[in-house]
Every structure is written in C-alpha cells, then in structure tokens.
Amino acid sequence: MAKVITLGFLGCGNIGGGVYHLLTDMHGEILKRENIDIRIKSALVKSIAEARSDVPKDIMTEHADEVLKDPDIDIICEFMGGEQPAASFMQQALENGKTVVTANKMALALNWHRLQAAAVGHHAGLYYEASVGGVIPVIRSLTVSLNADEIDQVMGIVNGTTNYILTQMSQQGRSYTDVLAEAQQLGLAEPNPTADVEGYDAAYKLSILSSIAFHTRVTYAKIHREGITGITPDDIAYGREMGYTLKLLAIGKRSGNSIEVRVHPTFLPNEHPLARVDGSLNAIYIHGKYCQDMMLQGRGAGDKPTASAICGDILYAACHMDTPTVPSFDNTAETDPAISFTDNWNCRYFVRLDAADTPGVLGSVASAFSARSISIASLLQRPSKEKGRAQIILITHEANEQAVQETISSLNAELVDVKSMIRVEC
Ligand code: HSE
C-alpha cells in the first residue's frame, strides 16, 4: 500500500501554483517511483476572493491555524516570502511536529538557529534546497555529496535579476537605470528592486551557503554587502578591454579559523567559468581540498525550476519522515567565537580615475599605490570627454582591502577624481 503524505501550503502565489501543478502532473509517476501518494489538503492565502493562482479555491483558507494545527498534515510548504510571519509560522509548524519545506532565504538566514532547534526538538524535518540558487542542488551537494571534504571557497552568481541587468549592460553598453526600467517592464525585475540590486537577496543566500560549506554558523550580520546601482557602462567597457567580465558575486572563503564573506560587484577574468554565466542564470563555483574546483549552474528563479527544487525536498522529506536530517554543524544564534570574520581581505582591484592630464599625475598615482606596497599589474590611459583630463584605469596585483581604501583616500582630490573601485577575483 502506498504511503500517504499530506501537504499544507503557507501562501499560494506563483511558486505555490508551480508546486501544485508539478505535484498534480507528476502524481502518478511519484507513486510509481517511490510508492508515495502526495496529497495537498489546504493552502493559506490572504484573501480567497482575490487569489490569482489557478489552484482550486476549495483547498484555500484564510486561517493559518487550519494549516498549522491540522493533524492530517505531515509537511508544511512555505511560499509566503519575507521574514514575518513566515518564520513564526514555520516555527509553529515545526513545534507541532510537522516537517517544513521552504525557499525563503530571508526567513531562514535570520531565524535558522531557532527553526533548526525546533525541528530537532520535535523530530521534524527542515529542508530548503530552493532557498539558494533555485533549482541548483547546491545545498544537498554540500551537505551530502561533499560532506567529507574541506571546502575553502564558495563563489556564486546567486541573484538572477542582477545577472540579467549586468549582462544587458555589458552586451549593449546601456546604463543601469535604462536596463532596470526595461527589466521591470518585462517582469524580470521587481517593482521595488532594492532586495536584488542592493545585494540583500544575495547576502541572505551567502549566509546559508557559507554556513553549510564551512560547517559553522555564518550570520547575515557578518556579510559585507554592496549592490550594483553605482556600476556604469564605462566600468564594464574598460574592464572588458582589460579582459574581465563584471558579475555580482557572493563570495565565501575560509582559511583555518578565518572566514571572509562578501557580496559585491566583481570582475572575473573572461576565462573564469562564472564569467560565462549570462542572463538570469545562477551558478555556484566551489573549491575544496579534495573535490578541487567544480561549478553548478541552473535557473535561480521562476515557478517551474523553483517548484522542481521544492518538490525534490518534499519527496526527500516524505521518504525520510522517521529519520529527518539537519546539517551537523552547531547552528547557534551567534557565530562561533573561535572563528574570526575579516573585512580586511586580499584580492586584486580595478580602480578607475578621472585625472588632470598634466605631467606628474600618473607618477603621483603610482607613488601612492607603491607607498602602501601595492603593485600595479596593468594600466590603461584613455582621453576623457572633458578637455585636459584623462581616464586612468589600473588593475593591481593582490593587495589588502584596507591598504587600497587608504591609497584611494590619499589621492589628491584636486588632480584625481576616483570614479570607481571594483574588486577582482581570479
Ligand atoms: N529575486 C531572486 C533573483 C530570485 O533575482 O535571483 C529569488 O531568490
């Protein structure tokens, strides 16, 4: 006899609809493959009358307790988004002994220790494959396949909206505001794009990804975050001329007990595998002591790819109801005091200056860098639009963040206007 597993949804918009359709479409096949009969009993919505999803209205409810407290429901699938009330609903569900599946990176990143404690304390499962990289199976790759390895680097394009914008800017030489407006019209960017373009979305994802990769809690507060709103077509074009492609990267590195976690626009050499990931695609590059380098790529958003990852979790949970799994690291509210988090990392730097085109200016710029032992790897000079000025673009060898910041501040503002400083990874 087939095992019956009953689901309740919290939220039923695009993603909930995608999950409903996948499970309906694949019901017979899942029954055949795993002998599990998955049934969807109820879906919490704000207003049944205003619900836009084509999920049958007779399973919809406006009362959270009808989902959270229903003794028939085994697995709660959370599709509400945002931190609250999603996090407290998930916690209640876990405390009621129900397994939770979510794609909500914000609620998870900010409340993970509480949710995991509730899951462990009530012998329930907590699964979130779709929270990072959409359909890309990066959580399971790290927690299962690479669990015996020592990962020292995760570097990802984990936000499709910004990757789409940067790709369009790069391919068409258009401005950020122009491409953003078009992306919003096409429905590819949110009407309020802040979470994506300022790097918040990527930072929540990096908090989850680096905690799992490095087997220690990396709280959201530890992540250095910068978005793409200040990027100009000039930066992208000069970078390209020097052999680099610009991406918004979520970077986590561990060396011994020191961790750096940062989200910011980053130039990558054109031959780097992440440099070729264009449009709204996501990809995560991983380096470890034994696995060495590898990359996973796929769709980071969209109802069908996200539903595929969520339903994979649902099926995994259904197959492991008696033996729910959580990552083995100590999932604490604060980071482990034995680990130091540095914001003074080393990498290479792209610096673009608009300078007076007079004798000695280039020399003074070079001296300022050499005074802090920063070596310049390549340099480009181009005429500025303004007469008597020149664009100086340089890329340093590996240098220290603080030293580069100090060098930039030390430049004579009357002669040199610092247009941009963008980190470069290899
Ligand atoms: N807004 C995200 C993105 C998708 O643009 O990638 C959901 O995390």
Side-chain angles (χ1 to χ4, degrees):
M1 215 168 88
K3 175 155 95 174
V4 175
I5 292 290
T6 305
L7 309 184
F9 289 2
L10 297 175
C12 200
N14 243 2
I15 304 299
V19 170
Y20 180 88
H21 288 299
L22 189 155
L23 291 175
T24 308
D25 180 30
M26 296 297 287
H27 182 267
E29 196 56 40
I30 290 170
L31 196 60
K32 203 160 83 188
R33 286 180 198 166
E34 299 293 343
N35 200 28
I36 293 177
D37 176 0
I38 296 184
R39 299 178 186 175
I40 303 162
K41 185 168 178 193
S42 53
L44 175 70
V45 293
K46 268 196 204 128
S47 155
I48 298 175
E50 286 169 30
R52 280 177 292 133
S53 145
D54 54 1
V55 169
K57 289 216 168 30
D58 60 359
I59 68 161
M60 291 185 181
T61 171
E62 294 172 3
H63 307 287
D65 280 354
E66 285 183 15
V67 182
L68 297 173
K69 292 190 178 160
D70 183 337
D72 289 345
I73 290 178
D74 305 293
I75 301 177
I76 300 269
C77 307
E78 185 273 319
F79 312 123
M80 305 179 80
E83 188 189 0
Q84 296 295 357
S88 67
F89 283 175
M90 285 194 275
Q91 185 156 355
Q92 286 175 53
L94 292 163
E95 286 167 357
N96 292 338
K98 300 185 188 309
T99 280
V100 166
V101 171
T102 181
N104 188 332
K105 59 266 161 186
M106 184 188 195
L108 188 68
L110 299 178
N111 299 276
W112 200 358
H113 53 291
R114 276 190 278 275
L115 295 174
Q116 184 158 316
V120 172
H122 296 83
H123 199 62
L126 173 63
Y127 303 102
Y128 35 81
E129 184 62 73
S131 65
V132 181
V135 73
I136 302 171
V138 67
I139 302 289
R140 203 149 283 124
S141 297
L142 288 166
T143 52
V144 179
S145 315
L146 298 169
N147 200 18
D149 210 320
E150 190 176 307
I151 304 302
D152 50 42
Q153 191 177 349
V154 284
M155 196 149 82
I157 296 171
V158 291
N159 185 272
T161 305
T162 46
N163 203 37
Y164 174 84
I165 292 172
L166 291 176
T167 302
Q168 293 296 309
M169 287 177 71
S170 175
Q171 291 175 351
Q172 299 172 3
R174 291 163 62 201
S175 74
Y176 164 77
T177 38
D178 217 33
V179 176
L180 172 65
E182 187 190 75
Q184 285 173 314
Q185 258 174 8
L186 295 170
L188 297 169
E190 299 282 343
N192 178 354
T194 308
D196 293 317
V197 300
E198 296 290 4
Y200 293 98
D201 176 78
Y204 293 130
K205 290 169 178 167
L206 181 59
S207 163
I208 298 167
L209 197 58
S210 52
S211 298
I212 285 174
F214 303 144
H215 301 269
T216 190
R217 180 85 192 273
V218 177
T219 57
Y220 172 76
K222 295 290 182 194
I223 295 174
H224 172 95
R225 178 193 52 76
E226 291 172 32
I228 64 162
T229 53
I231 297 295
T232 66
D234 279 353
D235 293 322
I236 295 178
Y238 288 126
R240 177 189 282 181
E241 200 175 332
M242 296 169 98
Y244 294 87
T245 302
L246 191 72
K247 296 291 177 190
L248 180 73
L249 291 191
I251 301 169
K253 294 184 184 179
R254 178 169 187 166
S255 171
N257 272 351
S258 174
I259 289 180
E260 60 187 65
V261 269
R262 43 194 170 100
V263 170
H264 51 64
T266 311
F267 275 120
L268 289 167
N270 288 338
E271 57 278 10
H272 192 288
L274 283 171
R276 296 191 288 269
V277 178
D278 282 338
S280 62
L281 279 173
N282 281 202
I284 295 120
Y285 172 90
I286 297 170
H287 185 273
K289 189 170 176 183
Y290 294 92
C291 67
Q292 302 184 7
D293 54 333
M294 56 181 283
M295 194 172 89
L296 301 165
Q297 175 178 327
R299 305 242 159 250
D303 56 348
K304 284 188 175 154
T306 309
S308 174
I310 290 169
C311 294
D313 271 354
I314 293 170
L315 202 47
Y316 180 90
C319 293
H320 295 84
M321 291 307 281
D322 297 328
T323 52
T325 53
V326 291
S328 52
F329 69 88
D330 238 358
N331 200 338
T332 45
E334 300 300 331
T335 53
D336 179 351
I339 306 279
S340 64
F341 285 84
T342 181
D343 54 8
N344 193 22
W345 53 78
N346 287 312
C347 66
R348 301 175 76 192
Y349 290 81
F350 166 104
V351 181
R352 180 164 69 88
L353 311 165
D354 184 86
D357 196 4
T358 51
V361 171
L362 194 54
S364 73
V365 169
S367 303
F369 279 89
S370 84
R372 286 169 185 81
S373 305
I374 300 168
S375 170
I376 294 171
S378 43
L379 188 118
L380 199 68
Q381 180 168 333
R382 293 283 179 270
S384 266
K385 285 177 196 119
E386 199 185 329
K387 204 164 171 269
R389 309 279 302 176
Q391 294 276 304
I392 299 171
I393 306 101
L394 58 89
I395 292 184
T396 70
H397 283 294
E398 193 163 291
N400 174 259
E401 172 80 14
Q402 201 177 324
V404 172
Q405 297 278 8
E406 281 171 14
T407 305
I408 286 172
S409 314
S410 77
L411 296 171
N412 180 343
E414 278 173 27
L415 294 174
V416 179
D417 182 11
V418 180
K419 291 293 188 189
S420 51
M421 182 276 271
I422 297 174
R423 290 138 192 127
V424 180
E425 291 287 332
C426 295

